[in-house]
Amino acid sequence: MTVAETTGSAEDLRRRMTTCLTHEGVLRTPAWREAFATVPREHFTPAFSVHDAEGFRTLRAGDPGYLETVYSDTSLITRRDKNGVAISSSTRPRVMAAMLEALPDRDTATVLEIGTGTGYNAALLCARYGAEKIATLDIDPELTTAARERLHTAGYTPTIVTGDGTRGHTPRAPHSAIIATCGLPRIPAVWLSQLAPGGTVVANLGYGLASLNHHDDGSLRGRFLPEMAAFMTARHSPEDSAPNACPEDIAGLMPARGRTTTVQVAGDVTAPMPRFLSGMLHHDTIDVSLVGDDGRTVHLIQHPASGAWARMAPHGAHGARLDHDGPEHRNLWGERLVLIKAWFHAGHPGPDRYGLTVAPNGTHTLWLDSPDGPSWVLPA
Ligand SMILES: C[S@@+](CC[C@H](N)C(=O)[O-])C[C@H]1O[C@@H](n2cnc3c(N)ncnc32)[C@H](O)[C@@H]1O
């Protein structure tokens, strides 16, 4: 999407964003197109910071470029904790649209949103289904207070609750759908009991966006969307920093000294899919790709619990310098290599060829192509 390069009124920019998302095939149904064309994102994001080629910039309503950024395909960071870690944002419109399109296509659906944030996504839900069908929940009381005021002044009156969304929301259950706009390590088992028969869960796990349906056997089952994204991880209390959400921390590993070897790399180590698989199978690790001072991309993996880390800098067609340290039982690069090889031999499948089954007892099984195909039981 290249809306940021164009100028115009908020209405013009909103219309162009909606048109772009439609042309790109992300917005598919008239009801969602109408919602995106109607709800003013700027009303929910009067001030934010963005990360672009120039680093972090803060923009406020009225600043040059403010409206163009609001209507670009950008995540707008709207709240940080005392250490400067981002803990709330308005998600990239493309990712929001992809997730919303996965919700039930019927006007009667009732939806629970986990992660109210700015209230923009809640406003889109209200515009689509009607405010009386929407409940939205955030762990942070300052965010729910601000979102309530913005939603009300924009004419939307959903149920807004302060609380931990990993516990769902019983008073409004059963929900036709639960959509989580914070990242989760696993789908909370309690959500299954709060879903209506045939209900839908749309949620981010690792780098995947799962779109799951409740089946008669009590399980949730479905595929990942073609889009990949990693949301701010769910917090356990408003005072928490988002666990695993801080690339600034991991950047400290760029100069770290460890054991150095040269390794051969199989396939494309820069491809995002091995990271998608790692986010499922090794969800206790964090990994990012950063550009070093010499302009080259470096891949970092960290296992915070043990202190293990690995830093891999590709050079040449198939070689890489590997620096790593930590206990032997977490060979992070070895773990990643297994995933790269498996993915490469499966013919480079994209996220939407993978699916997930969540059994009533909470066991998560990742599968390729069909629940009867190759599968991996995910660690709890
Ligand atoms: C990416 S933001 C949500 C964006 C939001 N939907 C919007 O339109 O602005 C993620 C939000 O999840 C919230 N959050 C984090 N942990 C949570 C939890 N356990 N329960 C509910 N909300 C949580 C954060 O406070 C943050 O506002």
Side-chain angles (χ1 to χ4, degrees), residues 314-349:
H315 61 73
H318 299 291
R321 171 185 161 138
L322 172 68
D323 293 277
H324 62 113
D325 206 359
E328 291 299 326
H329 71 278
R330 284 315 292 255
N331 174 356
L332 302 182
W333 177 244
E335 290 173 4
R336 178 60 53 91
L337 214 50
V338 171
L339 298 182
I340 293 173
K341 282 182 181 158
W343 173 73
F344 193 68
H345 287 121
H348 317 99

